[in-house]
């Protein structure tokens, strides 16, 4: 039961982290597309609520991620076990992400340098 709870919380947190990444990717794609002088009319699909949609999704996912078990962090004493169980996916993601950045020596690509060509 304990292992199941930890895996369930890690996977749930992973889903919200994934949607956070999708919101960032969508926002940066559209900004890069325009920054490279391309016309949005050439896109087969244009998100109706851009830029509100990805910004709203980012903020909402961030609120959900940080609010997973905020009661364990407030009050007279901190429930360390409850906080660890709820937020275990966050440090795991950060460790894996930073490890990848360190090993592969990647950096954030400027909007003008993003490769938007279809292959």
């Amino acid at each position: 039961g304990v292992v199941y709870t930890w895996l369930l919380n890690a996977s749930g947190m992973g889903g919200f982290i994934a949607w956070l990444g999708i919101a960032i990717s969508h926002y940066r794609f559209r900004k890069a597309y325009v920054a490279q002088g391309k016309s949005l009319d050439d896109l087969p699909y244009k998100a109706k609520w851009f830029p509100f949609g990805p910004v709203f999704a980012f903020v909402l996912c961030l609120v959900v991620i940080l609010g997973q078990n905020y009661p364990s962090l407030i009050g007279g004493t901190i429930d360390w076990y409850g906080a660890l169980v709820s937020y275990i996916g966050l440090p795991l993601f950060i460790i894996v992400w930073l490890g990848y950045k360190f090993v592969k020596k990647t950096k954030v690509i400027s909007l003008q340098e993003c490769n938007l060509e279809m292959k």
Side-chain angles (χ1 to χ4, degrees), residues 49-70:
W49 299 101
F50 186 85
F52 175 75
V55 171
F56 179 71
F58 176 85
V59 169
L60 191 60
C61 287
L62 198 58
V63 166
V64 170
I65 287 170
L66 297 177
Q68 286 284 331
N69 191 8
Y70 76 91

Side-chain angles (χ1 to χ4, degrees), residues 11 16 31 53 56-57 81 99 119:
S11 67
F16 284 106
K31 291 293 186 182
F56 179 71
Y81 179 77
K119 292 184 180 189

Side-chain angles (χ1 to χ4, degrees), residues 14-67:
F16 284 106
I17 291 170
W19 277 106
L20 194 75
I22 290 167
I24 292 168
S25 297
H26 178 224
Y27 185 84
R28 282 189 44 87
F29 167 76
R30 285 278 297 261
K31 291 293 186 182
Y33 202 79
V34 172
Q36 293 181 18
K38 299 180 187 280
S39 172
L40 294 177
D41 294 329
D42 296 337
L43 292 174
Y45 175 78
K46 292 174 278 306
K48 185 176 183 180
W49 299 101
F50 186 85
F52 175 75
V55 171
F56 179 71
F58 176 85
V59 169
L60 191 60
C61 287
L62 198 58
V63 166
V64 170
I65 287 170
L66 297 177

Side-chain angles (χ1 to χ4, degrees), residues 1-3 5-6 9 69 72 78-87:
V2 172
V3 173
T5 301
W6 282 67
N9 287 331
N69 191 8
S72 68
I78 295 176
D79 175 14
W80 290 106
Y81 179 77
L84 184 61
V85 168
S86 298
Y87 295 105

